[in-house]
Amino acid sequence: MKKLSVLFAAVIMVVSVSMAKAQKLASVDLMGVLNAMPEKKKADTDIKAFLDAKQAEIKKKTDAAQTKFQQYQTEAPKKTAEENTAREAEMKKLGEEIQQMQEKAQKDLQGKQDVAFGPIEKKLNDAIEKVAKANGYEFILDANSGAFVYKGGADATAAVKKELGIN
């Protein structure tokens, strides 16, 4: 228990020393800024159009497969076992094709999002960094989550590790 008290005192000491230095903090509403950017609005529209097109393509294939399945079910009693087995294999293949289409659409969507939003994120991060440096902010937090968006202040990690005897 005594070791825990010493550890707590050491952490408080390190935090106090770092707090003694006047740090300038700020917050930013990241989602508010992002949603106000014209580039983000255009990217969202493009992504939605892409997604709608892929979903329509998959729905068309799924509807065709369902129609064929219903037809096969209706005709099954009139067909031979070999024909029914061949039809089952065909339906299985159609199901696999639809699954592959869905997986490819998801992968394509992720790639399109990365390409579309990468430059937007870079532009936003560059603007945050520029504002932070211009106003002397050492830390900027996301107002919605409390996560650090910009960190320019001193890092006490090494001092805490040294105090704890950790390398």
Side-chain angles (χ1 to χ4, degrees):
M1 189 63 152
K2 187 172 181 160
K3 287 182 181 182
L4 187 59
S5 297
V6 172
L7 172 65
F8 182 73
V11 170
I12 294 297
M13 183 181 78
V14 171
V15 170
S16 297
V17 169
S18 64
M19 288 297 210
K21 179 183 168 197
Q23 295 179 346
K24 290 182 79 178
L25 299 174
S27 66
V28 64
D29 179 5
L30 277 180
M31 289 310 298
V33 173
L34 270 173
N35 289 330
M37 293 175 72
E39 301 95 325
K40 167 89 167 44
K41 291 176 184 177
K42 182 180 181 330
D44 285 343
T45 303
D46 292 348
I47 295 293
K48 182 166 178 4
F50 176 80
L51 184 58
D52 289 346
K54 288 293 183 180
Q55 286 175 335
E57 185 180 321
I58 291 169
K59 184 176 179 350
K60 182 179 175 182
K61 183 96 171 176
T62 302
D63 290 347
Q66 285 178 337
T67 302
K68 189 174 266 194
F69 179 71
Q70 289 172 346
Q71 175 190 355
Y72 285 176
Q73 278 189 321
T74 305
E75 296 174 351
K78 302 173 190 171
K79 299 293 181 179
T80 65
E82 294 84 28
E83 288 176 313
N84 286 333
T85 303
R87 288 176 165 197
E88 287 174 16
E90 183 181 350
M91 291 308 301
K92 183 178 178 183
K93 184 178 177 197
L94 277 173
E96 290 170 356
E97 288 174 5
I98 291 169
Q99 180 67 30
Q100 288 172 352
M101 283 178 71
Q102 291 171 335
E103 290 170 3
K104 185 178 183 322
Q106 186 64 37
K107 183 178 175 186
D108 291 348
L109 176 64
Q110 185 63 48
K112 192 158 185 71
Q113 286 175 329
D114 291 346
V115 168
F117 294 126
I120 295 169
E121 288 179 26
K122 182 177 179 349
K123 182 177 180 179
L124 177 61
N125 288 337
D126 290 348
I128 289 170
E129 186 173 346
K130 186 176 180 181
V131 167
K133 288 180 180 178
N135 293 294
Y137 298 133
E138 292 181 4
F139 299 98
I140 296 182
L141 302 155
D142 180 2
N144 299 314
S145 71
F148 281 110
V149 177
Y150 174 81
K151 180 181 151 256
D155 184 359
T157 305
V160 171
K161 282 184 174 180
K162 181 178 178 185
E163 186 66 30
L164 295 171
I166 302 171
N167 288 329

